[in-house]
Amino acid sequence: MYITAVPNRNSPPAILLRESFRDGDKVRTRTLANLTSWAPERIDALRRALKGEFDGFTGEPQPVCGPIFAVLLALKQLAERVGLLQVLGAERWATLVLFLILARVAAQGSRLAAVRWATQHAGAETLGLQPFDEDDLYEALDRLAEEQEDVEDALYRRTVWQRGGSPTVVLYDVTSSSLEGEQNALAACGYNRDKKPGKAQIVLGLLTAAEGEPLAVQVYEGNTADPVTVPEQVHTLRTRFGITEVVFVGDRGMVKAKGKRALTTAGFRSITALTMPQVRRLLQTQVLRTEWFTTHVHEVIHGSVRLILRRSEALRQQAARRRADTWAKLQRLITARNTFVQTSKRARLETGLRTLQAWVKRHKLEAFVHVSLHDGRLMATLDTAAQAEATVLEGCYVLETAVPQTALDAQAVHDRYRDLHEVEHDFRTMKTGLLEVRPIFVRKAPRTRAHVLVTMLALKVVREMRRALVAAFGTTDDDKMAVTVEDALVALARLCLLTYHVQDTAVPRLPTPDERQEAILNALGTPLPTTRSLRKM
């Protein structure tokens, strides 16, 4: 018996198992089986068996556990679903950027850490990547920095195609990320949201659609003020994306005079919140009244703008709890200081008084808390009337917009502003959550921008992954055992390639997923390939 390939015109050749036999003086051939549908490795194994190469072999071949396969495979399919493969292309630098995006989701860390992580994962089988080092990844970052606008523009066009039109509302927010080193080209000291005074930082601006889908990200020097970044976002929307009419939603204090002029020039309208000093001035001039702040939205027309008022009971209660905790801590500090003075001959009450008065001012209690000396002891008094007056606006906020009522009513304006929490949630994911944009291990400005862009693109993959898991398993608020993104990555990391060595032939096989892994793969819509298609990945 032997195996032969028979040409089949324009179709793939037929693989046949045949044998020869003698019929009188003639040697004839007959076909025993058609093997065309067999996997190539099975055909090769049978061919070698027919040649006798396995004669004398006894026992079952034992598999060797190879690289982790399912993590990159699932993430790659999710990246393809959000358009990253199409946008980046198939060049080697683009494939390396895709690897950086997927590694940011699964492992974070530096470029060197990504190289080390790659040794445990099937990059060649899933992404077609040949061996690379950290220098290759840095070169890919450099190229991505050059292509950033093209990548963002292509992703925006895809968003428009999916939505059936340009977004009518965009959200924008700014945050900062502190740096541990001192050599980053964009590092500067500024308003530090990480509560790490004295540390250099960079400033990030994230632009998203109304549902929070990232559209573009910008990196600024660490001392850049929030309002200064708005005109550049207007340029992105108007010039690069070609949007002619949109409602720009920005956080309080961000959309100021310069930003408003840029928005007006572009023909855009905005929704933002007033700062508390602005609200107090409007109260003093009788434009607003405290009784208008309720749990329901209330609208006031003020000149050419609409003011939307509301009081949040949740924020009000949160502020009350925080104030009560601060008052209790002050009482403990006073008790501790009085005890210390009684037991120490050198202690002075005046020193403690000055320290605690500074503490009260630092925690913004000086309007209704007074610390004084009475009969040789420190004590604090609370002026309840002054406290009620000072806290009358707790939980209250005012939104400002020039959007006509026919386009958005008061409740819709309020809801669009509340959508900003989606951007804030994404910032947490990018900064300190799953993706961990910091610590930043690059120094050059283009590489810093490319690193942040990689993180934003990874965020798109995470959002798609989270949507699929929530749809299948719910959230941890509903079920404490619901599958999260982190849980899914851990489960998929247990699926490795298996290799069987039969004589000199290595036969790759995929493991059978357990019930949990199967459920996760089905939820993500990323089934494992068949062994036959394994070599085609």
Side-chain angles (χ1 to χ4, degrees):
M1 288 186 292
Y2 61 94
I3 295 174
T4 185
V6 178
N8 194 12
R9 294 187 181 180
N10 296 328
S11 300
I15 309 299
L16 305 176
L17 174 64
R18 288 179 166 176
E19 70 172 356
S20 299
F21 63 95
R22 185 172 290 278
D23 182 9
D25 295 335
K26 296 182 179 181
V27 176
R28 300 184 183 277
T29 300
R30 59 187 169 202
T31 299
L32 301 177
N34 189 332
L35 309 180
T36 306
S37 62
W38 281 27
E41 56 267 21
R42 290 183 64 191
I43 296 173
D44 184 63
L46 179 58
R47 180 182 285 113
R48 296 181 63 187
L50 293 175
K51 291 180 179 179
E53 294 185 18
F54 300 151
D55 292 353
F57 175 79
T58 60
E60 289 287 335
Q62 296 300 311
V64 176
C65 188
I68 299 169
F69 182 81
V71 172
L72 280 177
L73 173 69
L75 292 179
K76 176 190 174 183
Q77 294 184 55
L78 291 169
E80 184 174 15
R81 195 181 304 166
V82 298
L84 294 186
L85 271 65
Q86 179 183 1
V87 168
L88 292 174
E91 296 182 48
R92 177 173 168 78
W93 73 268
T95 306
L96 288 172
V97 168
L98 177 63
F99 167 78
L100 281 173
I101 294 169
L102 305 187
R104 176 60 46 184
V105 176
Q108 300 82 57
S110 65
R111 264 47 57 183
L112 177 58
V115 172
R116 297 175 61 181
W117 182 80
T119 61
Q120 303 296 319
H121 290 259
E125 292 82 356
T126 55
L127 304 179
L129 271 178
Q130 299 304 314
F132 59 89
D133 58 22
E134 62 270 28
D135 290 333
D136 295 323
L137 297 181
Y138 281 121
E139 291 176 5
L141 279 184
D142 293 336
R143 181 64 182 275
L144 179 62
E146 298 172 2
E147 303 289 338
Q148 176 169 355
E149 288 195 2
D150 290 339
V151 169
E152 291 176 342
D153 293 351
L155 287 173
Y156 172 74
R157 290 193 296 270
R158 188 176 187 276
T159 299
V160 172
W161 173 75
Q162 287 180 320
R163 294 168 57 97
S166 301
T168 56
V169 175
V170 296
L171 312 179
Y172 178 65
D173 204 358
V174 170
T175 189
S176 59
S177 182
S178 57
L179 305 172
E180 298 301 326
E182 299 178 353
Q183 302 300 319
N184 191 283
L186 298 175
C189 290
Y191 173 61
N192 197 299
R193 297 167 179 81
D194 298 330
K195 307 302 179 184
K196 294 183 177 181
K199 282 190 176 294
Q201 64 179 18
I202 58 174
V203 171
L204 315 177
L206 181 62
L207 192 67
T208 80
E211 65 277 7
E213 189 64 30
L215 298 177
V217 67
Q218 294 293 335
V219 182
Y220 304 93
E221 293 185 0
N223 57 0
T224 305
D226 294 359
V228 176
T229 68
V230 173
E232 185 168 347
Q233 307 311 315
V234 175
H235 170 78
T236 298
L237 295 170
R238 181 74 178 181
T239 306
R240 286 176 47 196
F241 293 169
I243 298 178
T244 57
E245 186 174 353
V246 74
V247 178
F248 186 93
V249 184
D251 203 357
R252 72 179 69 230
M254 182 185 300
V255 184
K256 293 189 175 180
K258 187 175 181 180
K260 288 179 180 178
R261 285 196 299 270
L263 289 166
T264 302
T265 302
F268 298 160
R269 296 184 174 90
S270 64
I271 298 175
T272 188
L274 300 183
T275 62
M276 197 51 64
Q278 290 174 316
V279 174
R280 292 187 182 280
R281 283 196 294 271
L282 291 174
L283 286 170
Q284 291 172 358
T285 56
Q286 300 297 307
V287 174
L288 303 179
R289 297 180 183 177
T290 54
E291 60 266 24
W292 291 346
F293 289 94
T294 67
T295 55
H296 301 287
V297 296
H298 180 84
E299 181 172 347
V300 176
I301 304 298
H302 179 53
S304 60
V305 299
R306 300 162 59 197
L307 302 178
I308 312 299
L309 291 65
R310 186 176 180 271
R311 185 185 74 238
S312 169
E313 281 303 319
L315 293 177
R316 194 178 186 88
Q317 293 172 10
Q318 183 183 39
R321 288 194 298 269
R322 187 185 302 114
R323 188 171 59 255
D325 290 343
T326 306
W327 171 256
K329 185 174 182 180
L330 175 61
Q331 294 292 343
R332 292 194 296 270
L333 290 174
I334 289 176
T335 300
R337 183 66 189 182
N338 286 332
T339 302
F340 174 71
V341 170
Q342 292 176 356
T343 57
S344 175
K345 296 181 180 180
R346 302 183 63 180
R348 301 185 61 181
L349 285 170
E350 292 78 6
T351 302
L353 176 63
R354 290 193 298 270
T355 299
L356 290 173
Q357 287 175 338
W359 189 92
V360 167
K361 185 176 181 179
R362 186 166 64 252
H363 287 79
K364 301 179 181 180
L365 302 177
E366 70 274 14
F368 48 86
V369 173
H370 180 63
V371 180
S372 59
L373 287 173
H374 183 71
D375 294 334
R377 293 177 63 84
L378 291 168
M379 62 179 299
T381 56
L382 176 64
D383 187 337
T384 55
Q387 176 180 282
E389 181 180 353
T391 61
V392 68
L393 292 179
E394 281 185 347
C396 299
Y397 51 91
V398 178
L399 308 182
E400 179 189 78
T401 184
V403 179
Q405 291 177 330
T406 53
L408 290 175
D409 61 22
Q411 187 63 51
V413 170
H414 175 268
D415 293 343
R416 295 294 75 76
Y417 184 80
R418 293 290 296 168
D419 287 339
L420 275 177
H421 81 276
E422 291 286 344
V423 187
E424 295 168 355
H425 181 269
D426 287 342
F427 270 141
R428 287 193 294 273
T429 301
M430 288 176 62
K431 287 177 58 177
T432 57
L434 179 67
L435 301 178
E436 292 184 0
V437 69
R438 65 181 190 214
I440 297 174
F441 297 98
V442 291
R443 296 181 177 182
K444 298 179 180 179
R447 289 181 180 175
T448 303
R449 293 189 172 96
H451 168 72
V452 173
L453 177 59
V454 163
T455 307
M456 188 203 82
L457 298 177
L459 176 63
K460 293 179 73 70
V461 177
V462 170
R463 285 173 59 89
E464 179 67 21
M465 189 174 186
R466 186 179 290 125
R467 277 194 292 265
L469 293 174
V470 169
F473 305 107
T475 67
T476 52
D477 293 334
D478 304 323
D479 178 5
K480 63 181 180 181
M481 298 305 293
V483 179
T484 65
V485 171
E486 294 84 349
D487 296 334
L489 292 172
V490 171
L492 296 181
R494 294 187 285 109
L495 286 171
C496 303
L497 282 176
L498 301 178
T499 303
Y500 291 83
H501 293 276
V502 182
Q503 299 292 9
D504 296 328
T505 301
V507 182
R509 287 287 186 271
L510 292 177
T512 301
D514 62 25
E515 184 177 350
R516 181 179 177 85
Q517 293 166 334
E518 188 72 31
I520 291 172
L521 290 168
N522 290 336
L524 296 177
T526 56
L528 293 182
T530 62
T531 305
R532 185 178 182 184
S533 63
L534 181 60
R535 296 185 179 185
K536 301 178 182 178
M537 292 297 295

